[in-house]
Amino acid sequence: MPDTASFDVLVIGAGPAGLAAALAATTAGTSIGIVDENGTPGGQIYRASGGSPHPKVRGQIEELECKDVNVMGNTTIIDAPEPGVVLGLTGSSVRRIGYKKLILATGARELFIPFPGWTLPNVMGVGGLQALVKAGLDVRGKQIVVAGSGPLLIAVGAYLKDHGAKIVTVAEQASWASLARFLLHLCPLPQKAMQGATLAAQVGASYRPGTWVEKAEGKDKLESVKLNKFNVMIPCDYLACAYGFAPNIELPMLLGCDIEGGCVKVDELQRTSVPNVFCAGEPTGIGGLELSTVEGLIAGFTATDWSRAAKGLSKDRQKWQSFAQTLDRTFELRDEIKVLAKPETIVCRCEDVKLEQLSECDSAKSAKIHTRCGMGPCQGRICGSATRFLFGWEHGTVRPPLVPTPLSGLEIKD
Amino acid sequence: MPDKLKVQINGKEISIAEGTSVAAAILNDNVAALRRSVDGNPRGPVCGMGICYECRVTINGVTHQRSCMIACSDGMEIHTDA
């Protein structure tokens, strides 16, 4: 296998947590590498637009450069064949990357819950549609329904409107009562309250709490959606629908990290159950930008044996953890969302496995064996999070390679 | 942003701005379905971030490329599978 590299500290993921971790680690003057699937650092929240980095991370990118951090873009970790080594896939080639300390900042994906019509073209994620617009999708004049749950709905609604889309409605499944309690909680966090108020003013009257999409219809692509509160099909060009986030825990699982409640278990210094492996940000529990950043800093300091600096951040960590818990309670998914899928609704999009086929399965593993649910190219990243929500099935096992890999990139032994 | 790149989508030449992903270029050309599922149903991009594999297309003869993760480059030949 060609092209090896080795680092004192290797960070996987260049979102807020990973960037904070890498920069914290530079204070110890060690050799640092940071890997990301995308070409430009920033992660999902600070995703590059039209190929240029998000303004909020330009400073950090410059700092990485100044401090000789090796940034490996367009690289996905596909395997961890032995302690101290991971394999990175870039294009169709694979290389070994060595490390003494490993910081996992693998982020999260959106949580998609199946409903009739969710597989139609032009039905997308909320962050999904935003990412496509950042990559050049033209939504000027398009009728868009934004739906699901969480603060991202308002932010994306405002973003799309700003890019010329007509926002038909922003359907938030959480109730007004729940949101009102949330607003009270924001009082000690004025910057969050301001952020929320500014965005809410932009989407305005189209924001409808207690509303969700029951089904989407269309012949070869989306044509209309049905919301619970309206008895008519509402015509639209795009439906952006997601119910929050699911942590990316496949690499931590492969490394043998303990998982608890669907998240990577860490101590107060971001140490996982595996020696020399740390985890920060969304994989330890969905917490958002601020918590991810603090956890990243703590992981970076701990990995470079600067535990005093790490411990100095524990109050910040607690503050944002408690904010995350409030968010969790506010946007807790209602039971109605669990019963949207009909027997014939597809749950596993890769293998076209329908809900009725899963009725006799009792775990992700049995579903895999009996129906091929979770065996397609996404390796259960979409349906696995859905079946966890629908049936309480915990994640099945993971095996390398973690993503589809061309044979030419694999080391084939006789 | 001025259109600087030329790519072919299913044989038809279009001009697009630099930094545009293959997925965005295809959708902008009014094509919503990028592939067919194992049962033959039309599918398009969902996650926009390389997780779901629903946006796979053929780029310069290489099949199963995630179109949301790849930026267009001049002269690229893109084929959808729908």
Side-chain angles (χ1 to χ4, degrees):
Chain A
M1 198 166 285
D3 203 6
T4 60
S6 196
F7 302 94
D8 291 325
V9 178
L10 178 65
V11 183
I12 313 298
L19 287 171
L23 290 171
T26 58
T27 49
T30 47
S31 74
I32 300 161
I34 184 165
V35 169
D36 198 275
E37 258 197 320
N38 295 287
T40 311
Q44 298 309 326
I45 188 155
Y46 292 143
R47 174 174 271 276
S49 188
S52 10
H54 193 286
K56 288 259 170 76
V57 288
R58 272 177 207 154
Q60 284 174 303
I61 294 172
E62 273 169 31
E63 215 178 323
L64 291 173
E65 219 165 273
C66 286
K67 293 184 171 159
D68 283 329
V69 175
N70 193 324
V71 181
M72 292 160 275
N74 298 315
T75 301
T76 308
I77 303 302
I78 59 162
D79 194 3
E82 58 202 78
V85 178
V86 290
L87 302 187
L89 170 71
T90 309
S92 58
S93 65
V94 174
R95 65 169 158 173
R96 290 168 67 93
I97 309 172
Y99 64 86
K100 289 192 182 118
K101 304 280 173 71
L102 183 66
I103 300 175
L104 304 169
T106 46
R109 51 185 175 257
E110 287 189 281
L111 174 60
F112 300 112
I113 310 294
F115 57 88
W118 77 301
T119 55
L120 283 168
N122 291 346
V123 178
M124 301 176 184
V126 175
L129 180 56
Q130 185 183 34
L132 281 155
V133 174
K134 287 190 174 183
L137 175 65
D138 184 0
V139 288
R140 281 174 300 175
K142 300 287 185 192
Q143 304 268 342
I144 302 179
V145 172
V146 181
S149 200
L152 186 68
L153 266 54
I154 300 180
V156 170
Y159 178 89
L160 295 170
K161 196 174 168 191
D162 204 39
H163 283 73
K166 171 140 190 349
I167 304 302
V168 179
T169 190
V170 178
E172 163 62 62
Q173 61 88 39
S175 66
W176 269 120
S178 185
L179 289 166
R181 279 193 298 276
F182 176 61
L183 290 177
L184 286 177
H185 270 278
L186 284 184
C187 294
L189 297 167
Q191 78 269 40
K192 284 276 144 200
M194 272 307 289
Q195 244 179 45
T198 315
L199 291 170
Q202 288 175 56
V203 288
S206 59
Y207 190 59
R208 293 178 204 277
T211 312
W212 58 91
V213 173
E214 288 181 336
K215 63 175 173 180
E217 284 182 356
K219 195 168 165 279
D220 294 318
K221 63 177 181 184
L222 174 73
E223 287 165 19
S224 58
V225 303
K226 164 89 175 66
L227 300 175
N228 63 312
K229 285 190 173 162
F230 302 87
N231 279 328
V232 290
M233 294 300 295
I234 300 167
C236 58
D237 299 302
Y238 291 108
L239 167 61
C241 183
Y243 289 93
F245 301 95
N248 291 327
I249 57 170
E250 287 73 17
L251 178 58
M253 282 175 77
L254 185 69
L255 286 155
C257 299
D258 282 352
I259 305 295
E260 203 175 56
C263 303
V264 179
K265 198 177 158 192
V266 290
D267 66 8
E268 72 287 354
L269 292 175
Q270 307 303 134
R271 290 178 291 212
T272 70
S273 61
V274 177
N276 300 319
V277 177
F278 306 80
C279 187
E282 308 296 40
T284 69
I286 300 304
L289 171 64
E290 290 84 1
L291 183 59
S292 294
T293 306
V294 175
E295 289 191 0
L297 291 172
I298 294 173
F301 288 136
T302 311
T304 49
D305 301 315
W306 198 9
S307 55
R308 237 187 79 199
K311 282 177 184 153
L313 292 165
S314 65
K315 272 207 171 135
D316 257 11
R317 184 177 184 259
Q318 275 166 23
K319 177 175 91 177
W320 292 114
Q321 271 176 341
S322 115
F323 177 64
Q325 283 161 8
T326 309
L327 274 180
D328 243 20
R329 279 196 301 275
T330 306
F331 297 102
E332 197 186 355
L333 300 186
R334 54 175 75 228
D335 288 340
E336 288 95 324
I337 308 300
K338 277 194 179 158
V339 294
L340 293 174
K342 302 281 178 247
E344 65 280 9
T345 303
I346 283 167
V347 174
C348 169
R349 307 173 62 111
C350 295
E351 297 287 340
D352 278 349
V353 180
K354 298 181 175 81
L355 182 68
E356 60 194 0
Q357 293 172 266
L358 298 172
S359 59
E360 280 174 30
C361 301
D362 58 6
S363 67
K365 191 180 174 188
S366 83
K368 239 181 182 181
I369 293 169
H370 295 291
T371 69
R372 291 194 59 80
C373 179
M375 290 189 78
C378 94
Q379 285 288 287
R381 284 173 174 82
I382 303 297
C383 65
S385 305
T387 56
R388 185 169 188 273
F389 172 72
L390 294 174
F391 312 123
W393 295 347
E394 281 311 325
H395 291 273
T397 49
V398 294
R399 290 204 187 95
L402 290 172
V403 299
T405 301
L407 277 175
S408 58
L410 295 172
E411 199 171 42
I412 309 292
K413 290 187 180 125
D414 294 332
Chain B
M1 212 183 314
D3 291 351
K4 283 184 181 164
L5 305 176
K6 284 194 166 54
V7 299
Q8 280 192 15
I9 298 175
N10 298 329
K12 176 181 148 196
E13 189 171 88
I14 60 160
S15 299
I16 39 152
E18 221 168 310
T20 306
S21 73
V22 173
I26 298 170
L27 296 185
N28 283 346
D29 196 37
N30 253 328
V31 177
L34 275 58
R35 56 179 286 266
R36 294 265 162 191
S37 72
V38 294
D39 284 351
N41 303 306
R43 294 287 168 79
V46 179
C47 76
M49 54 188 266
I51 297 272
C52 73
Y53 285 78
E54 286 284 37
C55 67
R56 282 171 287 153
V57 298
T58 300
I59 301 174
N60 293 336
V62 184
T63 55
H64 299 295
Q65 301 295 296
R66 288 174 292 175
S67 61
C68 75
M69 297 292 281
I70 298 172
C72 288
S73 60
D74 207 27
M76 208 176 232
E77 285 181 24
I78 301 156
H79 285 274
T80 60
D81 189 23

